[in-house]
PDB file of all heavy atoms in Angstrom:
ATOM      1  N   ALA A 611      15.003-216.285 -29.145  1.00  0.00           N
ATOM      2  CA  ALA A 611      14.289-216.625 -27.954  1.00  0.00           C
ATOM      3  C   ALA A 611      13.274-217.729 -28.181  1.00  0.00           C
ATOM      4  O   ALA A 611      13.087-218.555 -27.367  1.00  0.00           O
ATOM      5  CB  ALA A 611      13.520-215.315 -27.476  1.00  0.00           C
ATOM      6  N   VAL A 612      12.542-217.655 -29.366  1.00  0.00           N
ATOM      7  CA  VAL A 612      11.549-218.752 -29.633  1.00  0.00           C
ATOM      8  C   VAL A 612      12.246-220.042 -29.869  1.00  0.00           C
ATOM      9  O   VAL A 612      11.737-221.033 -29.391  1.00  0.00           O
ATOM     10  CB  VAL A 612      10.745-218.300 -30.888  1.00  0.00           C
ATOM     11  CG1 VAL A 612       9.841-219.455 -31.320  1.00  0.00           C
ATOM     12  CG2 VAL A 612       9.903-217.064 -30.654  1.00  0.00           C
ATOM     13  N   GLU A 613      13.411-219.992 -30.542  1.00  0.00           N
ATOM     14  CA  GLU A 613      14.098-221.245 -30.757  1.00  0.00           C
ATOM     15  C   GLU A 613      14.568-221.804 -29.400  1.00  0.00           C
ATOM     16  O   GLU A 613      14.529-223.104 -29.253  1.00  0.00           O
ATOM     17  CB  GLU A 613      15.384-221.022 -31.695  1.00  0.00           C
ATOM     18  CG  GLU A 613      14.985-220.635 -33.033  1.00  0.00           C
ATOM     19  CD  GLU A 613      14.790-219.144 -33.209  1.00  0.00           C
ATOM     20  OE1 GLU A 613      15.146-218.332 -32.288  1.00  0.00           O
ATOM     21  OE2 GLU A 613      14.182-218.737 -34.243  1.00  0.00           O
ATOM     22  N   ARG A 614      15.028-221.021 -28.460  1.00  0.00           N
ATOM     23  CA  ARG A 614      15.504-221.480 -27.189  1.00  0.00           C
ATOM     24  C   ARG A 614      14.343-222.111 -26.402  1.00  0.00           C
ATOM     25  O   ARG A 614      14.444-223.165 -25.800  1.00  0.00           O
ATOM     26  CB  ARG A 614      16.031-220.338 -26.418  1.00  0.00           C
ATOM     27  CG  ARG A 614      16.654-220.728 -25.018  1.00  0.00           C
ATOM     28  CD  ARG A 614      17.332-219.680 -24.348  1.00  0.00           C
ATOM     29  NE  ARG A 614      16.424-218.510 -24.312  1.00  0.00           N
ATOM     30  CZ  ARG A 614      16.795-217.218 -24.311  1.00  0.00           C
ATOM     31  NH1 ARG A 614      17.984-216.945 -24.476  1.00  0.00           N
ATOM     32  NH2 ARG A 614      15.937-216.243 -24.268  1.00  0.00           N
ATOM     33  N   GLU A 615      13.137-221.477 -26.475  1.00  0.00           N
ATOM     34  CA  GLU A 615      11.964-222.045 -25.785  1.00  0.00           C
ATOM     35  C   GLU A 615      11.474-223.312 -26.454  1.00  0.00           C
ATOM     36  O   GLU A 615      11.062-224.201 -25.714  1.00  0.00           O
ATOM     37  CB  GLU A 615      10.814-220.991 -25.764  1.00  0.00           C
ATOM     38  CG  GLU A 615      11.140-219.811 -24.880  1.00  0.00           C
ATOM     39  CD  GLU A 615      11.461-220.143 -23.455  1.00  0.00           C
ATOM     40  OE1 GLU A 615      10.791-221.040 -22.835  1.00  0.00           O
ATOM     41  OE2 GLU A 615      12.415-219.580 -22.888  1.00  0.00           O
ATOM     42  N   ALA A 616      11.558-223.426 -27.755  1.00  0.00           N
ATOM     43  CA  ALA A 616      11.192-224.681 -28.479  1.00  0.00           C
ATOM     44  C   ALA A 616      12.141-225.765 -28.080  1.00  0.00           C
ATOM     45  O   ALA A 616      11.721-226.909 -27.885  1.00  0.00           O
ATOM     46  CB  ALA A 616      11.221-224.396 -30.002  1.00  0.00           C
ATOM     47  N   GLU A 617      13.426-225.430 -27.947  1.00  0.00           N
ATOM     48  CA  GLU A 617      14.419-226.453 -27.537  1.00  0.00           C
ATOM     49  C   GLU A 617      14.054-226.925 -26.086  1.00  0.00           C
ATOM     50  O   GLU A 617      14.114-228.141 -25.798  1.00  0.00           O
ATOM     51  CB  GLU A 617      15.848-225.876 -27.547  1.00  0.00           C
ATOM     52  CG  GLU A 617      16.884-226.851 -27.095  1.00  0.00           C
ATOM     53  CD  GLU A 617      18.243-226.208 -27.165  1.00  0.00           C
ATOM     54  OE1 GLU A 617      18.555-225.333 -27.988  1.00  0.00           O
ATOM     55  OE2 GLU A 617      19.096-226.645 -26.250  1.00  0.00           O
ATOM     56  N   ALA A 618      13.750-226.021 -25.269  1.00  0.00           N
ATOM     57  CA  ALA A 618      13.378-226.339 -23.863  1.00  0.00           C
ATOM     58  C   ALA A 618      12.210-227.209 -23.832  1.00  0.00           C
ATOM     59  O   ALA A 618      12.129-228.249 -23.083  1.00  0.00           O
ATOM     60  CB  ALA A 618      13.231-225.111 -22.977  1.00  0.00           C
ATOM     61  N   ALA A 619      11.227-226.922 -24.593  1.00  0.00           N
ATOM     62  CA  ALA A 619       9.913-227.689 -24.652  1.00  0.00           C
ATOM     63  C   ALA A 619      10.262-229.102 -25.112  1.00  0.00           C
ATOM     64  O   ALA A 619       9.679-230.124 -24.608  1.00  0.00           O
ATOM     65  CB  ALA A 619       8.860-227.004 -25.501  1.00  0.00           C
ATOM     66  N   SER A 620      11.028-229.173 -26.167  1.00  0.00           N
ATOM     67  CA  SER A 620      11.438-230.565 -26.645  1.00  0.00           C
ATOM     68  C   SER A 620      12.190-231.344 -25.648  1.00  0.00           C
ATOM     69  O   SER A 620      11.916-232.501 -25.446  1.00  0.00           O
ATOM     70  CB  SER A 620      12.204-230.340 -27.976  1.00  0.00           C
ATOM     71  OG  SER A 620      12.672-231.602 -28.402  1.00  0.00           O
ATOM     72  N   ASP A 621      13.170-230.669 -24.972  1.00  0.00           N
ATOM     73  CA  ASP A 621      13.929-231.389 -23.976  1.00  0.00           C
ATOM     74  C   ASP A 621      12.951-231.833 -22.820  1.00  0.00           C
ATOM     75  O   ASP A 621      13.111-232.974 -22.354  1.00  0.00           O
ATOM     76  CB  ASP A 621      15.001-230.455 -23.409  1.00  0.00           C
ATOM     77  CG  ASP A 621      15.969-231.085 -22.511  1.00  0.00           C
ATOM     78  OD1 ASP A 621      16.639-232.075 -22.956  1.00  0.00           O
ATOM     79  OD2 ASP A 621      16.150-230.587 -21.391  1.00  0.00           O
ATOM     80  N   ASN A 622      12.153-230.992 -22.361  1.00  0.00           N
ATOM     81  CA  ASN A 622      11.132-231.324 -21.308  1.00  0.00           C
ATOM     82  C   ASN A 622      10.293-232.513 -21.676  1.00  0.00           C
ATOM     83  O   ASN A 622      10.125-233.417 -20.886  1.00  0.00           O
ATOM     84  CB  ASN A 622      10.302-230.152 -20.941  1.00  0.00           C
ATOM     85  CG  ASN A 622      11.058-229.025 -20.250  1.00  0.00           C
ATOM     86  OD1 ASN A 622      12.232-229.218 -19.843  1.00  0.00           O
ATOM     87  ND2 ASN A 622      10.457-227.839 -20.107  1.00  0.00           N
TER      88      ASN A 622
END
Side-chain angles (χ1 to χ4, degrees):
V612 172
E613 294 84 15
R614 185 177 50 215
E615 293 302 318
E617 179 185 326
S620 176
D621 188 57
N622 291 346

